[in-house]
Amino acid sequence: MSSDTQPSGDAADPTEAELRQRVEELEAQLADLEAAVGDDQKQMTIVATKGTLDMAYPPLILASTAAAFGWDVVVFHTFWGLDILHEEKSKNLKLSAVGNPSMPMPNALAALPGMDAMATRMMEKKIDENNTATIEELIELSLDSGVDLQACQMTIELMDYDEDDFYDGVTTGVGAATALQHMADSDVQLLV
């Protein structure tokens, strides 16, 4: 007897209706499994709270890098971090010499008038010499990569900014509840 031979008889052969029913059941099980597993896309939420030159880089670099890996990324900018997204202010971010333990000068010297301007010029020179992307370039790269750069609505109102002050593509009118929801769903949450 060949192994290809199927036993004959009505009891062993399912009807067309039974086969269709079984296919529908399997398709439903597959859909349930796919929904349970999700789409494996990682999510990251970054909260940017500082608007100095040195603190503008970390959220933008991390966000654009994660987006390059296919992650769903939101950067929620609030308080002074909102200045990173402000078209005019982002071009004039300063570096504070006071209270920065990595600054190669004591705080007493760093507190002298003009030291923040000097520290900012030194950092801008290093950025230029090393061909490091500017804040403006990183914002453009982030937006082009699909990063959702969000501006906190409460802070927009608090700082008396206008929604037109921000780069094109920035999401305005976002509240803390929206940011929290994305954080709750994220694999990585960062406060910068």
Side-chain angles (χ1 to χ4, degrees):
M1 174 180 233
S2 165
S3 60
D4 293 1
T5 306
Q6 296 289 330
S8 61
D10 292 334
D13 293 333
T15 65
E16 185 176 336
E18 290 172 333
L19 287 174
R20 285 179 198 240
Q21 174 71 25
R22 184 67 183 137
V23 167
E24 288 175 11
E25 289 172 5
L26 290 171
E27 286 175 343
Q29 288 175 355
L30 181 60
D32 289 344
L33 286 172
E34 287 174 347
V37 171
D39 65 1
D40 287 349
Q41 182 182 29
K42 294 205 179 276
Q43 291 188 25
M44 177 165 56
T45 304
I46 302 172
V47 179
T49 63
K50 306 211 176 8
T52 58
L53 181 61
D54 56 328
M55 293 306 293
Y57 276 90
L60 295 172
I61 291 170
L62 290 167
S64 59
T65 302
F69 284 119
W71 290 29
D72 172 30
V73 184
V74 166
V75 185
F76 181 73
H77 294 77
T78 188
F79 285 85
W80 303 119
L82 199 57
D83 286 352
I84 298 168
L85 301 180
H86 191 282
E87 263 190 285
E88 186 179 315
K89 293 183 179 288
S90 68
K91 295 173 184 155
N92 297 306
L93 298 177
K94 306 293 181 215
L95 179 67
S96 178
V98 177
N100 188 339
S102 295
M103 196 57 69
M105 66 180 79
N107 275 334
L109 185 60
L112 292 175
M115 293 307 283
D116 284 352
M118 184 182 81
T120 300
R121 280 193 304 275
M122 287 173 44
M123 181 58 76
E124 288 172 339
K125 184 179 178 198
K126 280 186 162 216
I127 288 168
D128 187 49
E129 288 173 351
N130 287 298
N131 292 319
T132 301
T134 65
I135 298 303
E136 196 171 12
E137 291 168 335
L138 286 172
I139 288 170
E140 184 178 327
L141 173 65
S142 294
L143 290 169
D144 289 347
S145 300
V147 174
D148 187 5
L149 298 177
Q150 299 179 344
C152 173
Q153 184 62 40
M154 183 202 73
T155 307
I156 290 172
E157 294 168 8
L158 180 69
M159 302 295 186
D160 201 29
Y161 291 159
D162 189 277
E163 291 186 5
D164 295 333
D165 293 338
F166 301 101
Y167 287 93
D168 290 339
V170 168
T171 305
T172 57
V174 179
T178 302
L180 284 170
Q181 183 58 54
H182 196 272
M183 282 183 235
D185 296 336
S186 290
D187 300 290
V188 177
Q189 306 92 5
L190 302 171
L191 174 66
V192 180

